[in-house]
């Protein structure tokens, strides 16, 4: 049997004095960060979208900051561009939301698979009492270095593990799969009416767009 050693990922992180002006009173962390992922020799990316895009930061609904930014789906962090390879991390607060391109990033409570309460970033996909949420998330699969010249090197690899959640009212969001069974389980109080609506409109609840159509109808009842 071929033996392998686990290759651990160690991000290269350095901090510096804040170079991005922050007159908004506390939406940014107090240092910039220089994280060079290129030197870690991994496959994939910690970002679902690598490029910085024009964005806005909102505090309690009001625009507080406009800068290029991007979302790091590996460490759940919004990065505000601060020049060259530096960025300033956005504070993680429920009253702070961000708009990056056409996507909104909002801190919301949710329940994990182990029924633990957590708070994390989500992209809300509709409005109303029941909201479909997309949770952008990346994990790092460890690489392997062979002990012999005959083994195969496997680099650390970023893997997209993004998922969907439904949030009903003030309750924590719950993870779902995009299919009829999972969606109707959350909307059980109107199950019969919704089944008729699904059938008459030929909705495929494996499609994000059709789930949103159904939720818009449910929220109108």
């Amino acid at each position: 049997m071929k033996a392998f050693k686990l290759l651990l990922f160690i991000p290269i992180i350095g901090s510096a004095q804040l170079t991005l002006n922050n007159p908004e009173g506390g939406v940014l962390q107090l240092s910039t960060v220089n994280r060079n992922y290129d030197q870690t020799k991994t496959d994939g990316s910690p970002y679902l979208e690598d490029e910085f895009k024009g964005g806005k930061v909102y505090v309690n609904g009001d625009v507080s900051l406009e800068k290029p930014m991007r979302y790091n789906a590996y460490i759940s962090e919004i990065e505000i561009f601060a020049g060259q390879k530096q960025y300033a991390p956005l504070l993680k607060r429920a009253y702070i939301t961000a708009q990056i391109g056409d996507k909104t990033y909002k801190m919301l409570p949710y329940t994990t698979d182990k029924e633990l309460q957590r708070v994390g970033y989500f992209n809300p996909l509709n409005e109303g009492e029941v909201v479909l949420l997309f949770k952008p998330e990346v994990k790092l699969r460890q690489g392997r270095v062979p002990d012999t010249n005959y083994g195969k090197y496997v680099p650390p690899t970023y893997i997209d593990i993004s998922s969907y959640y439904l949030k009903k009212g003030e309750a924590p969001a719950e993870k779902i799969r995009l299919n009829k069974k999972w969606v109707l389980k959350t909307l059980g109080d109107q199950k019969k009416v919704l089944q008729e609506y699904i059938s008459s409109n030929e909705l495929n609840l494996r499609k994000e767009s059709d789930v949103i159509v159904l939720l818009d109808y449910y929220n109108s009842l």
Side-chain angles (χ1 to χ4, degrees):
M1 179 179 291
K2 298 175 180 178
F4 292 89
K5 294 179 181 178
L6 288 178
L7 179 63
L8 300 178
F9 168 75
I10 302 175
I12 297 173
I13 303 173
S15 61
Q17 295 298 314
L18 182 65
T19 57
L20 183 64
N21 291 331
N22 185 20
E24 292 72 21
V27 298
L28 304 178
Q29 295 184 28
L30 296 181
S31 64
T32 55
V33 177
N34 183 2
R35 181 182 281 109
N36 188 347
Y37 286 97
D38 296 336
Q39 295 181 35
T40 62
K41 298 180 180 179
T42 59
D43 282 349
S45 171
Y47 308 94
L48 298 186
E49 297 182 89
D50 290 331
E51 299 300 320
F52 284 91
K53 291 185 176 181
K56 297 179 181 180
V57 173
Y58 295 84
V59 176
N60 294 320
D62 296 325
V63 177
S64 176
L65 180 67
E66 294 188 48
K67 292 284 183 180
M69 58 189 74
R70 64 183 177 183
Y71 182 67
N72 187 320
Y74 176 55
I75 59 173
S76 301
E77 186 173 79
I78 293 175
E79 303 175 355
I80 312 298
F81 182 73
Q84 297 181 354
K85 291 186 177 181
Q86 289 191 328
Y87 68 85
L90 186 67
L91 287 177
K92 297 180 180 181
R93 301 289 186 271
Y95 58 86
I96 300 175
T97 61
Q99 185 81 23
I100 305 176
D102 60 354
K103 296 179 180 178
T104 298
Y105 290 82
K106 190 172 183 179
M107 292 286 291
L108 294 168
Y110 69 98
T111 303
T112 69
D113 293 335
K114 297 181 179 180
E115 298 186 354
L116 300 174
Q117 297 286 323
R118 294 286 187 269
V119 177
Y121 277 114
F122 291 89
N123 303 137
L125 302 177
N126 68 298
E127 298 179 351
E129 176 70 11
V130 180
V131 181
L132 180 64
L133 304 170
F134 181 74
K135 190 174 192 301
E137 192 171 8
V138 168
K139 74 174 183 178
L140 186 67
R141 184 175 63 194
Q142 292 180 335
R144 292 180 295 177
V145 176
D147 282 337
T148 71
N149 293 331
Y150 301 100
K152 182 179 180 181
Y153 168 74
V154 178
T157 304
Y158 289 105
I159 300 173
D160 183 356
I161 56 168
S162 301
S163 54
Y164 289 93
Y165 284 70
L166 275 180
K167 190 174 189 307
K168 192 172 185 179
E170 298 300 317
E174 296 185 357
K175 190 175 183 178
I176 65 164
R177 296 193 183 106
L178 290 191
N179 60 45
K180 185 175 180 180
K181 176 182 177 181
W182 280 81
V183 174
L184 290 181
K185 179 181 178 181
T186 304
L187 310 178
D189 58 321
Q190 297 286 352
K191 186 174 182 179
K192 186 175 180 180
V193 173
L194 296 178
Q195 285 176 325
E196 293 175 355
Y197 187 81
I198 291 168
S199 178
S200 62
N201 289 274
E202 299 181 344
L203 298 181
N204 178 2
L205 298 190
R206 295 183 183 277
K207 295 171 59 178
E208 177 188 293
S209 58
D210 282 9
V211 173
I212 292 173
V213 170
L214 182 67
L215 292 180
D216 287 342
Y217 173 69
Y218 176 88
N219 289 332
S220 71
L221 296 177

